[in-house]
Amino acid sequence: MARTVDQAFDELIKRIQPLPSEQGKVKSHYSTVNSCLSRSFGCYDLREIGSFGSGTSVRNYSDTDYFAACPSEKISENSNTMLVNFRNALSYTFHSTTGIRVSSPAVRIPFGSRVSELVEVCPARFKGLIQTPLAQRPYYEIPDSNGGWMKASPNAHNHYV
């Protein structure tokens, strides 16, 4: 039993951190997702972002988010079209996985019934560097839910977190 605030906080963190088994099913599909997006869209960087990517995930509540950086020439001008194209390619690859759908700004792939078995893949195109208070960070454009694109920088966000 914790005797200090620091000890209590450490105990809380241990209790809410995801178990290694929670991401096991998702991690087992990483290479297939990466291969599908690389083959179909020239994806050159499939990066884990979100709470798992920043180390802030919570047991039973966190899904896995991926940023799929693709060359500009493989990206549709209409982001809704791009999301449908991503969904179609992933549905073809994971033909026995039901419920793959667009949930802008990403495509959701339910590899099981638990939230921890859910993957969200967000198409992205590299746009340049953005200056943050301490360093320059790469920034991308991702779907904005209206057919357009909005700026996002997972590196800057993770540095902030």
Side-chain angles (χ1 to χ4, degrees):
M1 180 178 226
R3 295 181 185 264
T4 68
V5 172
D6 286 344
Q7 289 172 338
F9 188 70
D10 289 342
E11 182 63 31
L12 173 65
I13 294 296
K14 288 177 190 172
R15 288 182 185 183
I16 66 171
Q17 285 180 330
L19 300 172
S21 61
E22 279 194 85
Q23 256 201 319
K25 194 168 191 177
V26 168
K27 291 226 183 260
S28 72
H29 293 292
Y30 174 87
S31 63
T32 309
V33 170
N34 192 34
S35 293
C36 169
L37 298 177
S38 176
R39 182 177 57 255
S40 301
F41 305 100
C43 177
Y44 58 87
D45 185 14
L46 184 64
R47 176 181 314 183
E48 189 175 61
I49 60 169
S51 58
F52 272 103
S54 65
T56 59
S57 52
V58 177
R59 186 181 302 166
N60 299 320
Y61 290 96
S62 296
D63 63 0
T64 300
D65 302 295
Y66 288 115
F67 214 65
C70 302
S72 292
E73 63 270 10
K74 298 280 190 169
I75 300 279
S76 303
E77 279 307 310
N78 184 304
S79 64
N80 292 335
T81 300
M82 191 69 199
L83 286 166
V84 169
N85 293 343
F86 256 47
R87 184 204 61 212
N88 292 345
L90 290 163
S91 292
Y92 180 80
T93 298
F94 297 103
H95 53 86
S96 62
T97 301
T98 58
I100 297 175
R101 66 181 177 87
V102 171
S103 180
S104 190
V107 173
R108 296 170 60 102
I109 312 168
F111 286 121
S113 59
R114 298 181 180 147
V115 173
S116 60
E117 297 172 318
L118 176 65
V119 169
E120 293 186 335
V121 183
C122 181
R125 61 181 171 192
F126 178 75
K127 293 306 285 185
L129 298 173
I130 189 168
Q131 185 64 46
T132 64
L134 297 176
Q136 287 189 330
R137 309 279 183 195
Y139 83 91
Y140 301 80
E141 287 185 335
I142 63 171
D144 71 356
S145 301
N146 293 312
W149 297 87
M150 63 182 173
K151 291 180 182 178
S153 180
N155 290 21
H157 177 76
N158 284 349
H159 180 73
Y160 173 78
V161 171

